Amino acid sequence: MIMSSRRHFLTAAIAAPAVLRGASTRSWVEVEKILSSSNVKGRLAKDEVPTPALMLDLDLFEANVKRMVTHARENNRALRPHGKTHKCPEIAKYIIKQGAVGACGAKLSEAEVFAAHGVRGLLVTTAVLGKHKIERAVRLASTAPDTIFCVDNAQNAQDLNDAAASAKRKLWVAIDLCVSGRTGIMPGAAAVALGEQIANLPNLQFKGIQAYAGGASHTKGWENRQKASLAAMTPAIETRAELNKRGINTAWLSGGSTGTYNIDSNIDGITELQPGSFMFMDTDYNVIGGKGTGDHYGDFGNALTILATVVSRPTDAHVIIDSGYKAMATDRSFAPVPKEPGIKFGFNGDEHGKITSTAGALKLQTGDRIEIIAPHCDPTVNLYDRIYCTRGQQVEAVWSIAARGMSQ
Amino acid sequence: MIMSSRRHFLTAAIAAPAVLRGASTRSWVEVEKILSSSNVKGRLAKDEVPTPALMLDLDLFEANVKRMVTHARENNRALRPHGKTHKCPEIAKYIIKQGAVGACGAKLSEAEVFAAHGVRGLLVTTAVLGKHKIERAVRLASTAPDTIFCVDNAQNAQDLNDAAASAKRKLWVAIDLCVSGRTGIMPGAAAVALGEQIANLPNLQFKGIQAYAGGASHTKGWENRQKASLAAMTPAIETRAELNKRGINTAWLSGGSTGTYNIDSNIDGITELQPGSFMFMDTDYNVIGGKGTGDHYGDFGNALTILATVVSRPTDAHVIIDSGYKAMATDRSFAPVPKEPGIKFGFNGDEHGKITSTAGALKLQTGDRIEIIAPHCDPTVNLYDRIYCTRGQQVEAVWSIAARGMSQ
């Protein structure tokens, strides 16, 4: 248990010799006041954060961003990191400041939140369908005119054009290409025809192609991944070339993930990378294998953790922490990994996790805190309203995950 | 696609012959106004709700509540349904109105939200630890003095007593008993000693025992479940008897789940049931087997669904809907079940699901909507900010899931 600072430690030691384990000298009312203010820097210790909490190690996060931004710049690719990972306007704006061209939003409502917080250069990566959402897309474009909307069928292109025409606006659109069995139109003739249609619609501005190879991103082994990404992206590159050949300016092709960033940046014809997880990393990506690093993928540091508290110690063999299905993603089969060595995590229902020892007697007592490395970062982040950003043992900022829950 | 009402259908047919598939005659701006008002009844069709959305069929929900309330009353047991399932003050208050004695909150912060919305008769089912949370517990008790806090170790009992004494208050506490490997103190001598300690602490009021057998609740086969619950609950009943024998009034023993409600209500010594999932039901409980109904457990209707929209149709073999890991729980291995027959759901990442046909050609087109029966209801609800309550094709109310994310 670490006190908030040396000064506080000394104050506590002098003024209150019988403090509880891990206790702060501040009252909760004081902590609440600090949390509701816009400036927490230097005023809050990591140990004072109520658990379960989502924690971001700023040193690791900033290094991750620097590495990706530098890689994109050195390889002459645009970088538009995916906002579905962080759902946090502060993070989108920070990465743009470091050199990204904008941010992706998985859904319209997510992009709306980013736009409302001043993020520009948005790409909405899922098609926007139906009268109401198209009305919202036109409204979004009036706030953030450089927003690109993905389209994968003729009727939707026509509907977007008509709504834009009624509002006397022009919408930027891209073809969403199906390169790994998820959304999109099939590459080749169908996609080329859609591109020609879009280019001819007066209220749409054709920007290019999105081709996200979800299957390639998690292929195990860097060389296998390289093959998978090349196989998935080649039809996209060919579709782009065909459109350009027909005089339809297709300057832009967005692909790339945290798993393929240093693969797609070497494939001619891919102009932009849209990775997300790299900024946080997770145990899901840790096991896909790296370039020249074997089974472990360690290009980016594990900056995102769940801070948990031991709430019960029924026996000497296990303790229960306050973090279960509602505190971290459960969509992968492996168990989340505690940051501390010698212990093992297992889910124990909605609200709890069970910690057992992997080496000797279990030393954890009720009130002790542990950190768990985020498993699959995107759905983990989506469970929290705020992210506590730390530098060492101090909380430097508390950012709102303003687009949490925005799956519409 | 169903229009909001016959009247609206006729209006649409006359005024706008070329409406989009599933389109409403209302604009999104009008829908937004309705959603932000306190009264949506008769003003919004199910088909106008932006997807993915969490939907509650009120007819089924009310029947589920009626069945449980009636069962508890007829078997002379108190009913305190678990609020971790719904996280919704309106639901807590509705069930209390029907006859429940209060609501459980899994964590302190969840109970705080319920109390702030006027829910009384709260039981906080996880121990409240550490200086800050104990301060909050005392504050909560000043708002809702009949709140019961669970305790499973001597130090925590002492800490709660001391904080209550400083505030010149009395806290109601119960022993949390470990009956299935989760939280709590072990039954027997240890628990009896804790009960004696609590009874002697001047600022604590000892209320009884919580014994939640999480392991028994999902045991497959009703007879097996009966054996499992009896085995888990017997030590709790014995501990209660021992405390009463020693003159420590232990009037109250809370157990019971959706899986064991009609088992625990026949076990002498259990005075209260704390089930949660019964009100919504989910595919997780559907497969545990019922009393005299074989493998299927159908005592309660599947009132909770996820409404989704087809956003892409890349091939004739599958369509993609807008609902993935962020739209429903993923903590069970089986796939969520669409309400419509003849189709199958599979997850397709954070934002999407893949629908394939199980019978003939796949007829779904982009823009079509489908409903998916909630898999594991508690973590599904925790992904949403609101629940759309429907009666037939009309939205009757929109309730805030005010305690969503309150895992602290």
Side-chain angles (χ1 to χ4, degrees):
Chain A
M1 299 300 99
I2 295 124
M3 303 306 294
S4 54
S5 74
R6 190 174 149 73
R7 187 172 59 76
H8 281 114
F9 178 78
L10 291 174
T11 312
I14 296 159
V19 288
L20 299 174
R21 280 176 76 90
S24 156
T25 52
R26 270 184 279 266
S27 70
W28 173 250
V29 168
E30 288 172 299
V31 171
E32 263 184 335
K33 261 187 217 151
I34 294 168
L35 287 174
S36 65
S37 79
S38 58
N39 180 22
V40 304
K41 194 170 175 175
R43 303 169 68 202
L44 191 69
K46 190 172 172 179
D47 206 43
E48 294 176 301
V49 169
T51 67
L54 190 68
M55 312 299 291
L56 184 66
D57 182 311
L58 285 174
D59 290 335
L60 291 171
F61 166 74
E62 289 165 3
N64 290 345
V65 171
K66 191 176 180 184
R67 181 165 188 157
M68 185 60 85
V69 167
T70 304
H71 178 84
R73 191 178 56 234
E74 287 177 351
N75 289 274
N76 200 26
R77 313 286 159 146
L79 175 67
R80 197 183 314 251
H82 215 307
K84 79 182 177 73
T85 304
H86 56 70
K87 289 180 169 279
C88 171
E90 276 79 5
I91 291 182
K93 288 188 271 189
Y94 172 78
I95 309 180
I96 289 170
K97 209 171 164 187
Q98 303 306 308
V101 298
C104 300
K107 304 285 182 65
L108 173 69
S109 64
E110 191 170 285
E112 286 174 336
V113 172
F114 289 152
H117 285 82
V119 180
R120 293 295 178 268
L122 293 166
L123 167 65
V124 183
T125 60
T126 298
V128 172
L129 284 163
K131 180 186 156 179
H132 287 156
K133 285 195 176 164
I134 290 175
E135 181 185 334
R136 289 164 66 173
V138 173
R139 184 170 71 180
L140 172 57
S142 75
T143 305
D146 63 350
T147 302
I148 303 173
F149 298 94
C150 288
V151 177
D152 73 0
N153 73 76
Q155 183 61 52
N156 188 223
Q158 187 68 52
D159 292 343
L160 285 168
N161 178 76
D162 296 351
S166 296
K168 299 189 171 52
R169 298 212 67 86
K170 204 148 186 167
L171 291 185
W172 291 13
V173 302
I175 293 173
D176 182 29
L177 216 56
C178 183
V179 293
S180 72
R182 195 176 289 175
T183 61
I185 192 166
M186 297 309 284
V192 170
L194 180 60
E196 288 178 326
Q197 181 204 359
I198 294 168
N200 286 323
L201 285 167
N203 289 80
L204 299 185
Q205 174 81 44
F206 181 63
K207 299 304 289 183
I209 293 170
Q210 167 182 266
Y212 181 75
S217 67
H218 279 77
T219 299
K220 288 204 177 179
W222 193 84
E223 285 76 14
N224 289 339
R225 205 151 67 242
Q226 190 180 34
K227 276 180 218 152
S229 197
L230 203 57
M233 297 304 282
T234 297
I237 292 158
E238 289 170 354
T239 301
R240 181 185 171 217
E242 181 62 26
L243 280 163
N244 277 322
K245 209 177 94 184
R246 293 179 183 223
I248 295 159
N249 180 16
T250 312
W252 171 85
L253 173 57
S254 182
S257 64
T258 295
T260 60
Y261 82 105
N262 58 357
I263 293 167
D264 288 5
S265 60
N266 285 315
I267 300 177
D268 283 346
I270 300 174
T271 69
E272 179 177 293
L273 307 175
Q274 53 164 278
S277 305
F278 74 92
M279 63 188 80
F280 296 145
M281 271 309 281
D282 57 27
T283 51
D284 194 23
Y285 263 119
N286 283 147
V287 297
I288 65 167
K291 187 178 179 183
T293 62
D295 290 347
H296 180 69
Y297 182 53
D299 291 14
F300 303 95
N302 288 101
L304 193 75
T305 55
I306 292 97
L307 187 64
T309 300
V310 175
V311 290
S312 190
R313 196 181 198 280
T315 72
D316 290 343
H318 80 269
V319 296
I320 300 291
I321 59 170
D322 57 3
S323 302
Y325 301 149
K326 291 179 183 169
M328 58 200 111
T330 57
D331 59 286
R332 296 298 192 270
S333 58
F334 50 78
V337 179
K339 215 170 161 182
E340 292 79 359
I343 56 172
K344 200 174 76 173
F345 172 90
F347 281 109
N348 201 234
D350 297 331
E351 315 288 345
H352 301 109
K354 184 182 275 195
I355 299 287
T356 49
S357 171
T358 58
L362 187 66
K363 289 179 190 145
L364 289 167
Q365 300 293 332
T366 53
D368 285 351
R369 291 176 164 217
I370 66 163
E371 269 181 275
I372 296 166
I373 300 167
H376 198 184
C377 52
D378 313 60
T380 298
V381 170
N382 191 47
L383 296 167
Y384 291 89
D385 289 306
R386 49 169 71 124
I387 187 163
Y388 294 91
C389 308
T390 60
R391 191 88 66 185
Q393 293 302 318
Q394 288 292 309
V395 178
E396 193 167 296
V398 183
W399 289 336
S400 167
I401 305 172
R404 186 213 51 74
M406 297 296 165
S407 293
Q408 290 73 35
Chain B
M1 297 301 99
I2 296 124
M3 303 307 295
S4 51
S5 73
R6 188 173 149 72
R7 188 173 58 77
H8 280 113
F9 179 78
L10 292 175
T11 313
I14 296 161
V19 289
L20 298 174
R21 281 177 76 91
S24 155
T25 52
R26 271 183 279 266
S27 70
W28 174 250
V29 168
E30 289 172 299
V31 171
E32 263 184 334
K33 260 186 218 151
I34 294 168
L35 287 174
S36 64
S37 79
S38 59
N39 180 22
V40 304
K41 194 170 177 178
R43 302 170 68 202
L44 191 69
K46 190 171 172 179
D47 206 41
E48 294 176 301
V49 169
T51 67
L54 190 68
M55 313 300 292
L56 184 66
D57 181 312
L58 286 175
D59 290 335
L60 290 172
F61 166 74
E62 288 165 6
N64 290 345
V65 170
K66 191 177 180 183
R67 181 165 188 156
M68 185 61 85
V69 167
T70 305
H71 178 85
R73 191 178 56 235
E74 287 177 351
N75 288 275
N76 199 26
R77 313 287 158 145
L79 174 67
R80 196 183 315 251
H82 215 306
K84 80 182 179 71
T85 304
H86 57 69
K87 289 181 168 279
C88 171
E90 275 79 6
I91 292 182
K93 287 187 273 189
Y94 172 79
I95 310 180
I96 290 170
K97 210 172 162 187
Q98 301 307 308
V101 298
C104 300
K107 304 285 182 66
L108 173 68
S109 64
E110 193 170 284
E112 285 174 336
V113 172
F114 289 151
H117 285 82
V119 180
R120 292 295 177 271
L122 293 166
L123 166 65
V124 183
T125 60
T126 298
V128 173
L129 284 163
K131 180 185 157 180
H132 286 156
K133 285 193 177 165
I134 289 175
E135 181 185 334
R136 290 164 67 173
V138 173
R139 185 170 70 179
L140 171 57
S142 75
T143 305
D146 63 351
T147 302
I148 303 172
F149 298 94
C150 287
V151 177
D152 73 1
N153 73 75
Q155 183 61 53
N156 188 223
Q158 187 68 53
D159 293 343
L160 285 168
N161 178 76
D162 296 351
S166 295
K168 299 188 171 53
R169 297 211 68 83
K170 203 149 186 167
L171 290 186
W172 291 15
V173 302
I175 294 173
D176 182 28
L177 215 55
C178 184
V179 292
S180 72
R182 195 176 286 175
T183 60
I185 192 166
M186 297 309 285
V192 170
L194 180 60
E196 288 178 326
Q197 181 203 359
I198 293 169
N200 286 324
L201 285 167
N203 289 79
L204 300 186
Q205 173 81 44
F206 180 64
K207 300 304 289 182
I209 293 170
Q210 167 182 265
Y212 182 75
S217 67
H218 279 77
T219 299
K220 288 204 177 179
W222 193 85
E223 284 76 16
N224 290 338
R225 205 151 66 243
Q226 190 180 32
K227 275 178 219 153
S229 196
L230 203 56
M233 298 304 283
T234 297
I237 292 158
E238 290 170 355
T239 301
R240 181 185 171 217
E242 181 62 28
L243 280 163
N244 277 323
K245 208 176 95 184
R246 292 177 184 225
I248 295 158
N249 181 16
T250 312
W252 172 85
L253 172 57
S254 182
S257 63
T258 295
T260 60
Y261 82 105
N262 58 357
I263 293 166
D264 289 4
S265 60
N266 285 315
I267 301 177
D268 283 345
I270 300 175
T271 69
E272 177 177 293
L273 307 176
Q274 53 164 280
S277 304
F278 74 91
M279 62 188 80
F280 297 145
M281 269 311 279
D282 57 27
T283 52
D284 193 22
Y285 263 119
N286 283 147
V287 297
I288 65 166
K291 186 178 179 183
T293 62
D295 290 347
H296 181 69
Y297 181 54
D299 290 14
F300 303 94
N302 288 103
L304 193 75
T305 55
I306 293 97
L307 186 65
T309 301
V310 175
V311 290
S312 189
R313 196 180 198 281
T315 71
D316 290 342
H318 79 271
V319 297
I320 301 290
I321 59 170
D322 57 3
S323 302
Y325 301 149
K326 292 178 183 168
M328 58 199 111
T330 58
D331 59 285
R332 296 298 191 270
S333 58
F334 50 78
V337 180
K339 216 171 160 181
E340 292 79 0
I343 56 171
K344 201 175 76 174
F345 172 90
F347 280 109
N348 202 233
D350 298 331
E351 314 289 344
H352 301 109
K354 185 182 275 195
I355 299 288
T356 50
S357 172
T358 58
L362 188 65
K363 287 179 193 148
L364 289 166
Q365 301 293 332
T366 53
D368 285 351
R369 291 174 164 218
I370 66 163
E371 270 181 273
I372 296 167
I373 300 168
H376 199 183
C377 52
D378 313 59
T380 298
V381 170
N382 191 46
L383 296 167
Y384 291 89
D385 289 305
R386 50 169 71 126
I387 188 162
Y388 295 92
C389 307
T390 61
R391 191 89 63 185
Q393 294 303 318
Q394 288 291 310
V395 178
E396 194 166 297
V398 184
W399 289 336
S400 167
I401 304 172
R404 186 215 51 75
M406 296 297 165
S407 293
Q408 290 74 34

